Amino acid sequence: MADTNDNKTGTDNKLAVDVRTEFGKGFARRLRAAGKIPAVLYGHGTEPQHIALPGHETALIIRKANQVLDLQIEGKSQLALVKDVQKDPVRQIIEHLDLIVVRKGEKVTVDVPVHLEGEPAPATSVNLDSTTISLEVEATHIPENVVVSIEGLEEGAQVLAGDVTLPSGATLVTDPEVLVVGITGEVAVDLGETEETPEGETPEGEGDLVDEVGSEDAPAESE
């Protein structure tokens, strides 16, 4: 089953950006404090262009993977694919974006998330071996995900990359033999059995311990 949702560029992805003429960590910190995200735009043989994006609007858009932004730069529109997002490892604040220039009708290679649908046969477990697969697609029609149905799959069943139904116009780049999903049997956990001690008997080892340390009724040794 193919997913028809894709990341079409529209008014929701339109961002007014500023061209940056200052650089360095100090300037980048000031930008972020002002609610903006520093970024660099490159590709198609153009000189890298340093820009600043509106922080809140950009963060909302790039929550989904492979977003194409419609950048409004000095009165001109430029499409750009989000290539890399750098975040603070602790606070998870977006620190920097790498953007690639794209054009309408151009094809790009992207890693598209795999979304599982349905339930496998009873008493089985699902192993998602590949969380994404690489596809070549139009830059302005990148699918949000590819859907893999696991409904009723039995133990031992496998779904390879070549088995995945692709969105219209997409070409598989990942090796078709790569395992995407595997179905295995549930493993029973053996908690073991506890042997009961017959009434009146001392558990093995406890009698020896009493003999070693003595008892409260035993006479104390004289100093």
Side-chain angles (χ1 to χ4, degrees):
M1 177 180 176
D3 186 81
T4 54
N5 275 335
D6 55 17
N7 300 334
K8 296 178 181 178
T9 304
T11 55
D12 289 344
N13 284 19
K14 185 177 289 187
L15 296 171
V17 304
D18 301 322
V19 175
R20 290 191 290 137
T21 55
E22 295 183 65
F23 311 99
K25 292 183 178 179
F27 181 69
R29 281 195 296 268
R30 291 195 296 273
L31 268 182
R32 290 191 287 271
K36 297 187 176 183
I37 300 173
V40 61
L41 175 66
Y42 58 93
H44 282 289
T46 61
E47 288 292 325
Q49 190 169 17
H50 298 272
I51 56 178
L53 310 176
H56 180 67
E57 295 93 328
T58 303
L60 290 177
I61 293 172
I62 66 174
R63 286 183 301 178
K64 296 179 180 178
N66 302 317
Q67 289 295 306
V68 174
L69 308 178
D70 183 359
L71 305 178
Q72 305 299 303
I73 306 174
E74 298 180 334
K76 296 181 179 180
S77 177
Q78 174 61 64
L79 298 182
L81 173 66
V82 179
K83 186 65 175 177
D84 185 56
V85 180
Q86 298 170 27
K87 292 183 177 182
D88 181 282
V90 177
R91 297 179 296 166
Q92 290 299 298
I93 295 173
I94 301 173
E95 294 189 328
H96 190 272
L97 293 179
D98 286 352
L99 308 173
I100 295 180
V101 172
V102 294
R103 296 168 181 162
K104 287 185 179 180
E106 177 184 3
K107 291 199 171 185
V108 293
T109 298
V110 291
D111 292 333
V112 179
V114 173
H115 175 73
L116 301 183
E117 185 178 77
E119 295 291 335
T124 60
S125 296
V126 179
N127 297 319
L128 181 59
D129 284 70
S130 301
T131 57
T132 64
I133 59 173
S134 295
L135 302 178
E136 184 182 62
V137 294
E138 283 192 23
T140 52
H141 291 81
I142 300 174
E144 290 184 9
N145 54 51
V146 290
V147 177
V148 174
S149 176
I150 56 172
E151 184 64 36
L153 293 185
E154 302 282 349
E155 178 181 351
Q158 293 184 333
V159 179
L160 305 181
D163 300 325
V164 178
T165 301
L166 304 181
S168 177
T171 303
L172 182 66
V173 176
T174 296
D175 185 336
E177 297 302 313
V178 166
L179 178 63
V180 177
V181 182
I183 307 297
T184 59
E186 291 184 349
V187 179
V189 179
D190 184 5
L191 299 178
E193 295 183 2
T194 303
E195 293 185 3
E196 295 184 3
T197 303
E199 189 174 349
E201 291 188 15
T202 302
E204 186 178 349
E206 287 191 13
D208 297 337
L209 181 60
V210 172
D211 291 340
E212 270 187 38
V213 301
S215 66
E216 292 180 359
D217 297 332
E221 295 181 2
S222 58
E223 294 182 1

